[in-house]
mmCIF file of all heavy atoms in Angstrom:
data_model
loop_
_atom_site.group_PDB
_atom_site.id
_atom_site.type_symbol
_atom_site.label_atom_id
_atom_site.label_comp_id
_atom_site.label_asym_id
_atom_site.label_seq_id
_atom_site.Cartn_x
_atom_site.Cartn_y
_atom_site.Cartn_z
ATOM 1 N N ILE B 302 -22.534 38.262 31.114
ATOM 2 C CA ILE B 302 -23.267 38.152 29.857
ATOM 3 C C ILE B 302 -23.597 39.528 29.279
ATOM 4 O O ILE B 302 -23.488 39.743 28.072
ATOM 5 C CB ILE B 302 -24.565 37.327 30.081
ATOM 6 C CG1 ILE B 302 -24.171 35.894 30.392
ATOM 7 C CG2 ILE B 302 -25.476 37.401 28.879
ATOM 8 C CD1 ILE B 302 -25.309 35.001 30.785
ATOM 9 N N GLY B 303 -23.955 40.443 30.169
ATOM 10 C CA GLY B 303 -24.277 41.786 29.714
ATOM 11 C C GLY B 303 -23.095 42.423 29.001
ATOM 12 O O GLY B 303 -23.246 43.031 27.944
ATOM 13 N N ASP B 304 -21.926 42.271 29.597
ATOM 14 C CA ASP B 304 -20.742 42.862 28.977
ATOM 15 C C ASP B 304 -20.403 42.179 27.660
ATOM 16 O O ASP B 304 -19.938 42.793 26.713
ATOM 17 C CB ASP B 304 -19.544 42.741 29.934
ATOM 18 C CG ASP B 304 -19.638 43.759 31.041
ATOM 19 O OD1 ASP B 304 -20.059 44.889 30.735
ATOM 20 O OD2 ASP B 304 -19.330 43.423 32.196
ATOM 21 N N LEU B 305 -20.636 40.877 27.626
ATOM 22 C CA LEU B 305 -20.215 40.102 26.461
ATOM 23 C C LEU B 305 -21.159 40.314 25.276
ATOM 24 O O LEU B 305 -20.731 40.569 24.158
ATOM 25 C CB LEU B 305 -20.187 38.622 26.847
ATOM 26 C CG LEU B 305 -19.344 37.716 25.978
ATOM 27 C CD1 LEU B 305 -17.912 38.209 25.948
ATOM 28 C CD2 LEU B 305 -19.396 36.300 26.521
ATOM 29 N N PHE B 306 -22.459 40.205 25.542
ATOM 30 C CA PHE B 306 -23.403 40.166 24.430
ATOM 31 C C PHE B 306 -24.171 41.469 24.216
ATOM 32 O O PHE B 306 -24.772 41.657 23.170
ATOM 33 C CB PHE B 306 -24.423 39.038 24.641
ATOM 34 C CG PHE B 306 -23.810 37.673 24.572
ATOM 35 C CD1 PHE B 306 -23.909 36.798 25.648
ATOM 36 C CD2 PHE B 306 -23.120 37.274 23.446
ATOM 37 C CE1 PHE B 306 -23.349 35.543 25.587
ATOM 38 C CE2 PHE B 306 -22.545 36.022 23.383
ATOM 39 C CZ PHE B 306 -22.668 35.148 24.455
ATOM 40 N N PHE B 307 -24.235 42.335 25.211
ATOM 41 C CA PHE B 307 -25.117 43.482 25.070
ATOM 42 C C PHE B 307 -24.384 44.809 25.050
ATOM 43 O O PHE B 307 -24.972 45.853 25.159
ATOM 44 C CB PHE B 307 -26.182 43.468 26.172
ATOM 45 C CG PHE B 307 -27.086 42.290 26.059
ATOM 46 C CD1 PHE B 307 -26.957 41.205 26.912
ATOM 47 C CD2 PHE B 307 -28.045 42.240 25.064
ATOM 48 C CE1 PHE B 307 -27.775 40.111 26.793
ATOM 49 C CE2 PHE B 307 -28.868 41.136 24.939
ATOM 50 C CZ PHE B 307 -28.731 40.075 25.798
ATOM 51 N N LYS B 308 -23.060 44.747 24.969
ATOM 52 C CA LYS B 308 -22.326 46.008 24.822
ATOM 53 C C LYS B 308 -21.454 45.878 23.591
ATOM 54 O O LYS B 308 -20.614 44.980 23.494
ATOM 55 C CB LYS B 308 -21.452 46.253 26.062
ATOM 56 C CG LYS B 308 -22.209 46.955 27.162
ATOM 57 C CD LYS B 308 -21.270 47.329 28.284
ATOM 58 C CE LYS B 308 -22.066 47.905 29.446
ATOM 59 N NZ LYS B 308 -21.269 47.921 30.665
ATOM 60 N N ASP B 309 -21.680 46.778 22.660
ATOM 61 C CA ASP B 309 -20.871 46.790 21.452
ATOM 62 C C ASP B 309 -20.951 45.466 20.680
ATOM 63 O O ASP B 309 -20.013 45.076 20.003
ATOM 64 C CB ASP B 309 -19.409 47.122 21.782
ATOM 65 C CG ASP B 309 -18.745 47.765 20.569
ATOM 66 O OD1 ASP B 309 -19.461 48.440 19.817
ATOM 67 O OD2 ASP B 309 -17.541 47.575 20.385
ATOM 68 N N ALA B 310 -22.054 44.762 20.823
ATOM 69 C CA ALA B 310 -22.290 43.595 19.968
ATOM 70 C C ALA B 310 -23.469 43.941 19.067
ATOM 71 O O ALA B 310 -24.040 45.026 19.172
ATOM 72 C CB ALA B 310 -22.606 42.374 20.813
ATOM 73 N N ASN B 311 -23.845 43.064 18.166
ATOM 74 C CA ASN B 311 -25.057 43.333 17.403
ATOM 75 C C ASN B 311 -25.912 42.079 17.309
ATOM 76 O O ASN B 311 -25.563 41.018 17.840
ATOM 77 C CB ASN B 311 -24.743 43.929 16.031
ATOM 78 C CG ASN B 311 -23.947 42.992 15.169
ATOM 79 O OD1 ASN B 311 -23.934 41.800 15.404
ATOM 80 N ND2 ASN B 311 -23.282 43.530 14.167
ATOM 81 N N LEU B 312 -27.023 42.214 16.620
ATOM 82 C CA LEU B 312 -28.006 41.137 16.584
ATOM 83 C C LEU B 312 -27.450 39.838 16.000
ATOM 84 O O LEU B 312 -27.970 38.762 16.253
ATOM 85 C CB LEU B 312 -29.209 41.575 15.743
ATOM 86 C CG LEU B 312 -30.277 42.374 16.457
ATOM 87 C CD1 LEU B 312 -31.379 42.722 15.477
ATOM 88 C CD2 LEU B 312 -30.857 41.551 17.609
ATOM 89 N N SER B 313 -26.395 39.949 15.186
ATOM 90 C CA SER B 313 -25.904 38.766 14.480
ATOM 91 C C SER B 313 -25.548 37.643 15.455
ATOM 92 O O SER B 313 -25.720 36.470 15.137
ATOM 93 C CB SER B 313 -24.693 39.126 13.631
ATOM 94 O OG SER B 313 -23.560 39.304 14.436
ATOM 95 N N VAL B 314 -25.082 38.019 16.647
ATOM 96 C CA VAL B 314 -24.688 37.000 17.617
ATOM 97 C C VAL B 314 -25.869 36.093 17.960
ATOM 98 O O VAL B 314 -25.770 34.865 17.917
ATOM 99 C CB VAL B 314 -24.147 37.669 18.896
ATOM 100 C CG1 VAL B 314 -23.778 36.628 19.924
ATOM 101 C CG2 VAL B 314 -22.958 38.533 18.567
#
Side-chain angles (χ1 to χ4, degrees):
Chain B
I302 292 173
D304 284 321
L305 201 57
F306 293 122
F307 296 104
K308 273 187 186 164
D309 207 31
N311 63 20
L312 275 180
S313 75
V314 178

